Amino acid sequence: MQAILLFGHGSVLCGAERNLLDLARAMEADGAAAIVEAAFLSYTPPDLETALARCVEREAATVAIVPWFLVAGKFVVEELPGRIGSVLSKFPEIEIVVAEPIRAHPGLADAILACAERVRRPAEWRALAAVEAAASCRNDPRCPLYGSPQCPRAALAPTPAGSP
């Protein structure tokens, strides 16, 4: 059985991973593939090794890693092969293949046009980002919302004595 592993960069912004994780779930639910997992290069779990282990647990024989990048830049050309090389010996029972990055895929124009139909003002997308961050807060000091009034943990933090 073939699995698809969507491989993205990851982000320090809590909740940023939701897009790729939700896409993986939707692709699997739609029957695009029996097994669809997501993994991230930096900051965000799961990492490549963890996602590959999930594919093995789900009885994948081949894993097609699909870079969630527009171009084959440093992360695709250097980082991804290095990560694959470091985990190959842990998964001798599966074949790992790598797809092209998105580049200028013919379906991309339609996706961009659909996005343009859903434009929002900056205040709206900032509010949406805060909601997504709240739903996925990792309490990570690297997150740009950490310690700010928009940080979900800030709302939970006790007010120091003598503060309003």
Side-chain angles (χ1 to χ4, degrees), residues 112-122 124-125:
I112 290 170
L113 290 170
C115 289
E117 292 173 4
R118 301 185 330 251
V119 297
R120 299 171 191 255
R121 303 242 181 269
E124 291 176 271
W125 53 258

Side-chain angles (χ1 to χ4, degrees), residues 1-23:
M1 180 181 322
Q2 180 171 333
I4 295 175
L5 195 154
L6 304 174
F7 182 75
H9 185 271
S11 176
V12 293
L13 177 64
C14 296
E17 73 278 6
R18 298 284 3 127
N19 293 320
L20 197 57
L21 294 171
D22 290 349
L23 177 62

Side-chain angles (χ1 to χ4, degrees), residues 14-15 128-137 145 150-152:
C14 296
L128 180 60
V131 168
E132 290 176 358
S136 303
C137 184
L145 298 179
Q150 293 81 27
C151 179

